[in-house]
Amino acid sequence: MQLSLDVARIRGQYTSLAGQWTYLNAHEVPQIPEPVSSAVARAFRDQAVAQPLEPNVGTHARGVDPGTLFAQEHLAAARLAIADLTGTTADAVMLGPSEAELLAQLQVAMRQQLRRGNAVLDAPRSASGVLGAGEYAQLIDAATRLTVVPAADAETGIIHEVASIAEATRSRSRAWVLVQVSAMLGVRPVTFEALGADVVLLSARGLGGGELAALAFRDRAMLTRINAEAFGQQVSPALAAGAAAAVDHLAGLADSSGAARGTRRTRISQSVDAAASYLGGLSTYLMDTLRPKVEFLGFGSEAAREADRIPVVSFRLPGVPVETVYQRLVGHALLPGRSAEGITVGLGVYNTPSDVDQLARVLGSLA
């Protein structure tokens, strides 16, 4: 059964929406839900005022640091939450301060394998704007050990053909396929089953969960093939608490009654489906509303026009400099993203058709 989102209820969990700003930059800076802020604050408080739960007596109690116990609990909760999000087990999840740091640690961990082969660490250019097996075919050979694939383009919204890339990789080599999924967290499934990936790399920031990243392996056995000690997992326990809370928030999006049943994995799947449906409709409304006024980017080929997309669009206003458009929008309390090529609008579950209408009115004043 397809569940729907109670957007008014969801918006109530974002205190930042009470101000004057309309946030249209969910692709860059998703707003932080109150449950996440509260979880981080509680975790910092735990560290600051932690006291032993029992008198520190007896041989086994000596040296016990309650702050360390709290930290371990938060880190364990984050690993389990990411495991539920991606479809693996908690012991196959590595935490780190950033995606770049985790990717660097993975290369160190795979140093022996990479010494004998090659790693494809940057997505190739695609004339169509859609990455598929064809773009990777000439780069992958029997010596390839790691293929890194972005799941979606954060500016055009195009979802790349990850499953076909993974299949092509395995037909030509024994390489692992690592998929970077932060751009489509919460709006598309990021499970190993859906992606066909071996490793998933993400930032909790994509869920409004703060600056913590995770590297999830399809199964724990993969870690026995590399130097797992290369992963330092030096992360803030408080941010780990925020990441776990962000996954819980996602799992509850489609639960308007607060009495959802089923595992967290099941509830995540239901909420992602509901979010994809809602934001797909809102994206269509956005494009239909703006089409008479703007030139959309990333639709130059037939493959791009037919591609599935996350709720992100980029556009230019003909004859008006990008900076002028951006400053006009900001002057009217609208906050989109921007690049040298155009204005980017990323929609979140807290956005509404009225946000789109407001955007259209301001752009109309420039046309």
Side-chain angles (χ1 to χ4, degrees), residues 94-111 121 146 148 178 180 182 199-203 211-217 226-236:
M94 300 296 175
L95 303 178
S98 70
E99 293 177 86
E101 178 63 25
L102 280 175
L103 190 54
Q105 290 178 4
L106 177 61
Q107 293 179 64
V108 172
M110 295 182 67
R111 182 172 292 166
L121 297 178
L146 179 67
V148 179
L178 182 152
Q180 298 170 299
S182 295
V199 188
V200 167
L201 177 64
L202 62 88
S203 170
E211 300 296 334
L212 179 139
L215 195 65
F217 293 80
I226 62 177
N227 178 21
E229 293 182 358
F231 297 103
Q233 301 199 59
Q234 299 298 315
V235 299
S236 163

Side-chain angles (χ1 to χ4, degrees), residues 5 20-21 29 33 44 51 66 80 89 102-103 110 116 120 139 198 202-203 226 251 267 291 297-298 302 319 353 364:
L5 299 184
Q20 64 171 333
W21 290 95
V29 189
F44 275 123
Q51 297 293 330
L80 181 57
T89 55
L102 280 175
L103 190 54
M110 295 182 67
R116 300 193 300 266
V120 180
L139 302 175
D198 298 298
L202 62 88
S203 170
I226 62 177
R267 290 182 285 115
R291 187 168 285 112
L297 308 180
E302 182 177 355

Side-chain angles (χ1 to χ4, degrees), residues 318-344:
V320 184
V322 171
E323 184 63 21
T324 299
V325 177
Y326 181 78
Q327 292 301 331
R328 177 64 65 88
L329 293 174
V330 171
H332 285 77
L334 292 163
L335 194 58
R338 63 174 167 174
S339 66
E341 289 74 30
I343 300 296
T344 303

Side-chain angles (χ1 to χ4, degrees), residues 57-341:
V57 296
T59 302
H60 298 293
R62 291 173 185 168
V64 173
D65 178 0
T68 299
L69 295 179
F70 280 123
Q72 291 173 345
E73 290 176 2
H74 294 315
L75 295 172
R79 287 192 292 269
L80 181 57
I82 299 301
D84 284 344
L85 180 67
T86 59
T88 187
T89 55
D91 58 1
V93 175
M94 300 296 175
L95 303 178
S98 70
E99 293 177 86
E101 178 63 25
L102 280 175
L103 190 54
Q105 290 178 4
L106 177 61
Q107 293 179 64
V108 172
M110 295 182 67
R111 182 172 292 166
Q112 185 174 356
Q113 292 90 334
L114 297 180
R115 187 180 299 120
R116 300 193 300 266
N118 304 303
V120 180
L121 297 178
D122 293 310
R125 291 183 178 274
S126 170
S128 69
V130 182
L131 291 177
E135 283 70 32
Y136 280 80
Q138 61 182 348
L139 302 175
I140 300 170
D141 57 32
T144 304
R145 293 294 178 265
L146 179 67
T147 300
V148 179
V149 186
D153 190 299
E155 290 188 359
T156 66
I158 291 174
I159 296 177
H160 300 308
E161 298 171 359
V162 175
S164 69
I165 294 170
E167 184 177 354
T169 298
R170 296 189 182 99
S171 70
R172 292 172 171 81
S173 72
R174 295 182 291 112
W176 285 350
V177 177
L178 182 152
V179 182
Q180 298 170 299
V181 301
S182 295
M184 64 181 200
L185 285 176
V187 295
R188 289 293 189 279
V190 294
T191 62
F192 292 95
E193 181 180 4
L195 299 170
D198 298 298
V199 188
V200 167
L201 177 64
L202 62 88
S203 170
R205 184 180 184 182
L207 292 173
E211 300 296 334
L212 179 139
L215 195 65
F217 293 80
R218 187 181 62 253
D219 60 66
R220 172 69 186 180
M222 295 175 65
L223 294 173
T224 64
R225 298 165 55 186
I226 62 177
N227 178 21
E229 293 182 358
F231 297 103
Q233 301 199 59
Q234 299 298 315
V235 299
S236 163
L239 292 181
V247 174
D248 282 334
H249 175 72
L250 171 63
L253 287 181
D255 177 24
S256 59
S257 66
R261 301 193 177 194
T263 65
R264 181 164 57 182
R265 291 190 183 190
T266 297
R267 290 182 285 115
I268 288 172
S269 178
Q270 293 171 341
S271 290
V272 168
D273 286 348
S277 178
Y278 172 72
L279 290 172
L282 190 59
S283 294
T284 298
Y285 180 67
L286 170 67
M287 296 189 68
D288 289 346
T289 302
L290 298 189
R291 187 168 285 112
K293 304 177 178 67
V294 307
E295 173 190 349
F296 289 108
L297 308 180
F299 287 82
S301 68
E302 182 177 355
R305 288 190 292 272
E306 295 179 353
D308 189 14
R309 294 172 183 264
I310 57 175
V312 174
V313 296
S314 291
F315 60 84
R316 287 190 291 255
L317 200 62
V320 184
V322 171
E323 184 63 21
T324 299
V325 177
Y326 181 78
Q327 292 301 331
R328 177 64 65 88
L329 293 174
V330 171
H332 285 77
L334 292 163
L335 194 58
R338 63 174 167 174
S339 66
E341 289 74 30

